[in-house]
Amino acid sequence: MADTAELRIGDKTLSLEVIEGSEGERAIDIRKLRSETGHISFDPGYGNSGSCRSAVTFIDGEQGILRYRGYPIEQLAEHSSFLEVSYLLIYGELPSAQQLGQFTESIRYHTMIHEDFKSFYSAMPKDAHPMAACAAAVGALGTFYPDSLDPLDPRQVEISVHRLLAKFPTMASYAYKHSIGQPFMYPDNTKDYVGNFLQLMFGTPCEQYEVNPTIEKAIDLLLILHADHEQNCSASTVRLCGSSQVNLFGAISAGINALWGPLHGGANQAVIEMLAAIRDEGLTAKQFVDRAKDRNDTSRLMGFGHRVYRNFDPRMKIIKKACFDVLGQLGVNSKLLEIAVELEEIALNDPYFVERRLYPNVDFYSGVIYTAIGTPDNMFTVMFALGRLPGWIAQWMEMHDDPDFKIGRPRQIYTGATERDYVPVGQR
Ligand code: ACO
């Protein structure tokens, strides 16, 4: 028999079912709390609230474990590819060779965007942040494909999913090309997913673009590491927005905006800006760490801390190693990497960070790799969004299949004025 929890409010005792996940995580099911007691739960930031059952990604923040569909991130990083991981997240199982071949072909087939879509970019200022452009462009996909927007029709969902994965690299690169005044490149479908993205970003019509295999492999790895992270801010946004049964493009566009913030995916750009500022202002790493600890200073050690990981972020370990490998192979000597290593060492030995269990997260070293391969700072978070697409898609699809599906609608504790009468403007 399932465990129960008892809640006593006044003279009433409510028996609440305890539910358990496949990895032993337990939750008290409070769905009848309000109807039976008139009370609601209060949990700003949702640190103690489960919003759904999910079979996509498992995280154990205490032990630094991350698994997609049961597979450890370390194994996927070593052996898999971004498209295979995308398939795994979206369809739930690793594909057979034939399934992977068909999936890859379908993504390849859909890489081009409508010619008219190009004028969408020319309406934007040159200095538009590419995350704003990407969020708008993904939302705008809905205007081009009104025939496949029904989130409850599996065939329409499948085609939208493939279109989104295929077209996002093209759309992201156009945001960048527009900002630097270069012509948009057409996708090159002879190349793999990441190779195509690199030529869209860095190629020009004037010369043949040769994909550097070291860079291609590094980006593929980074995309795998960013592919999902269960109910974080952007995934929860995709679910909440999607719970109104808006189409996939609308829900993902909302997720891209959530990811943009500096406390979430925008941290990777913020990290590199922090490292560059330390270098340019001639600060020592120690001086900056002291600033980050000072309550009267708004600086934070960007790329440090995580709501869930309280021990270490397993993605960071893989990225840090990749960072040294890639920079070594490319022969890049990076002052930014030196500063990052120094900051990490000081912070990990500082009681402020130790006591608060703040460790470097996925964003701490990723920007150093992006910089070394020539990616402009404002495209870092776009790279994150590209990697996170399959996770958002998987979460959105899972939500629609959930027998407990409901539109998301939190409640509140109202603290404003109680009823009062309107006063005409002349009497105020
Ligand atoms: N630098 C300095 N102090 C920090 C940092 C940091 N990076 N992160 C947390 N703290 C301190 C807080 O000031 C707070 O101190 P206090 O208890 O004395 O008030 C304590 O640690 C707890 O911090 P919270 O903000 O309450 O922790 P929370 O779990 O809400 O936030 C977050 C997590 C947003 C990631 C936070 O650690 C942060 O802002 N980090 C920097 C931004 C960053 O790297 N974000 C990327 C996260 S990973 C991702 O989204 C992909």
Side-chain angles (χ1 to χ4, degrees):
M1 199 181 120
D3 278 353
T4 52
E6 294 208 330
L7 178 71
R8 210 163 50 244
I9 303 178
D11 56 3
K12 185 162 180 148
T13 302
L14 184 64
S15 187
L16 298 165
E17 195 190 334
V18 173
I19 55 176
E20 189 166 323
S22 55
E23 291 281 354
E25 185 147 63
R26 290 157 74 82
I28 299 167
D29 183 345
I30 58 161
R31 275 177 288 184
K32 55 186 181 181
L33 181 65
R34 186 170 179 277
S35 63
E36 304 232 344
T37 70
H39 291 62
I40 59 169
S41 65
F42 185 63
D43 186 22
Y46 311 120
N48 304 283
S49 295
S51 59
C52 59
R53 288 183 169 91
S54 179
V56 182
T57 289
F58 172 68
I59 300 175
D60 182 330
E62 302 300 322
Q63 296 189 55
I65 293 173
L66 170 61
R67 298 186 201 126
Y68 299 157
R69 302 283 188 189
Y71 296 101
I73 191 65
E74 294 79 6
Q75 291 182 24
L76 294 170
E78 191 172 345
H79 303 296
S80 192
S81 66
F82 177 61
L83 279 190
E84 186 178 63
V85 164
S86 301
Y87 187 101
L88 171 68
L89 287 167
I90 293 167
Y91 297 106
E93 295 294 337
L94 283 170
S96 67
Q98 193 197 11
Q99 287 167 327
L100 183 59
Q102 284 170 351
F103 180 65
T104 306
E105 268 322 297
S106 178
I107 303 298
R108 225 188 268 279
Y109 178 74
H110 287 292
T111 49
M112 237 177 3
I113 60 173
H114 196 290
E115 280 296 295
D116 292 348
F117 209 137
K118 291 181 178 171
S119 54
F120 175 88
Y121 293 90
S122 50
M124 289 184 201
K126 291 273 182 232
D127 58 356
H129 196 288
M131 279 299 271
C134 285
V138 168
L141 280 178
T143 66
F144 284 91
Y145 303 108
D147 58 336
S148 54
L149 298 181
D150 183 355
L152 305 180
D153 177 328
R155 179 66 195 134
Q156 293 191 31
V157 167
E158 176 152 283
I159 190 153
S160 293
V161 165
H162 290 206
R163 278 180 177 144
L164 180 60
L165 282 172
K167 293 182 198 304
F168 191 82
T170 316
M171 297 190 305
S173 74
Y174 286 7
Y176 171 57
K177 288 296 198 191
H178 173 64
S179 74
I180 56 170
Q182 284 189 3
F184 299 154
M185 298 291 287
Y186 282 106
D188 176 353
N189 289 352
T190 63
K191 293 189 164 51
D192 288 340
Y193 191 79
V194 172
N196 175 48
F197 177 56
L198 289 171
Q199 78 86 26
L200 282 162
M201 283 280 295
F202 302 117
T204 69
C206 314
E207 51 194 47
Q208 188 71 24
Y209 180 79
E210 293 297 332
V211 177
N212 179 324
T214 303
I215 296 178
E216 189 176 22
K217 197 160 169 279
I219 297 293
D220 199 77
L221 172 72
L222 286 165
L223 297 182
I224 292 173
L225 296 174
H226 285 88
D228 193 48
H229 215 235
E230 50 116 311
Q231 310 312 319
N232 53 77
C233 175
S234 56
S236 297
T237 300
V238 169
R239 279 183 180 259
L240 187 58
C241 177
S243 77
S244 71
Q245 294 191 341
V246 70
N247 64 79
L248 176 72
F249 305 128
I252 300 291
S253 171
I256 294 172
N257 278 316
L259 185 73
W260 187 9
L263 298 189
H264 191 15
N268 58 13
Q269 180 178 343
V271 169
I272 222 70
E273 286 167 358
M274 170 186 79
L275 298 176
I278 294 172
R279 179 195 59 195
D280 300 341
E281 290 171 29
L283 290 174
T284 63
K286 169 90 177 56
Q287 280 169 327
F288 188 83
V289 169
D290 287 342
R291 258 165 60 169
K293 295 189 303 185
D294 184 353
R295 277 184 181 278
N296 300 317
D297 192 312
T298 52
S299 311
R300 277 198 164 192
L301 185 52
M302 299 311 287
F304 253 73
H306 198 277
R307 171 61 62 79
V308 179
Y309 292 121
R310 296 298 183 184
N311 188 332
F312 68 93
D313 181 337
R315 303 167 297 176
M316 187 289 290
K317 286 194 168 182
I318 302 170
I319 292 181
K320 185 177 178 184
K321 181 176 174 311
C323 198
F324 281 98
D325 291 350
V326 171
L327 268 63
Q329 284 168 35
L330 297 177
V332 173
N333 214 337
S334 167
K335 179 73 186 158
L336 299 181
L337 177 59
E338 269 174 44
I339 298 171
V341 170
E342 213 183 327
L343 281 174
E344 183 192 357
E345 203 178 303
I346 293 173
L348 289 180
N349 289 300
D350 187 305
Y352 174 97
F353 291 89
V354 174
E355 280 158 19
R356 288 170 178 75
R357 303 175 77 187
L358 302 170
Y359 293 86
N361 59 48
V362 66
D363 293 320
F364 195 67
Y365 284 102
S366 61
V368 178
I369 303 187
Y370 292 140
T371 302
I373 65 178
T375 316
D377 299 4
N378 64 3
M379 282 299 287
F380 294 0
T381 318
V382 174
M383 309 288 275
F384 191 153
L386 173 59
R388 187 51 59 85
L389 283 181
W392 287 331
I393 292 168
Q395 301 284 344
W396 179 84
M397 287 172 68
E398 186 181 62
M399 178 190 67
H400 286 296
D401 289 341
D402 189 340
D404 290 331
F405 173 82
K406 265 185 183 348
I407 187 168
R409 201 326 184 165
R411 287 185 177 266
Q412 64 169 9
I413 298 293
Y414 177 69
T415 59
T418 52
E419 185 176 353
R420 45 186 173 164
D421 289 326
Y422 177 79
V423 181
V425 68
Q427 295 170 29
R428 281 176 229 156

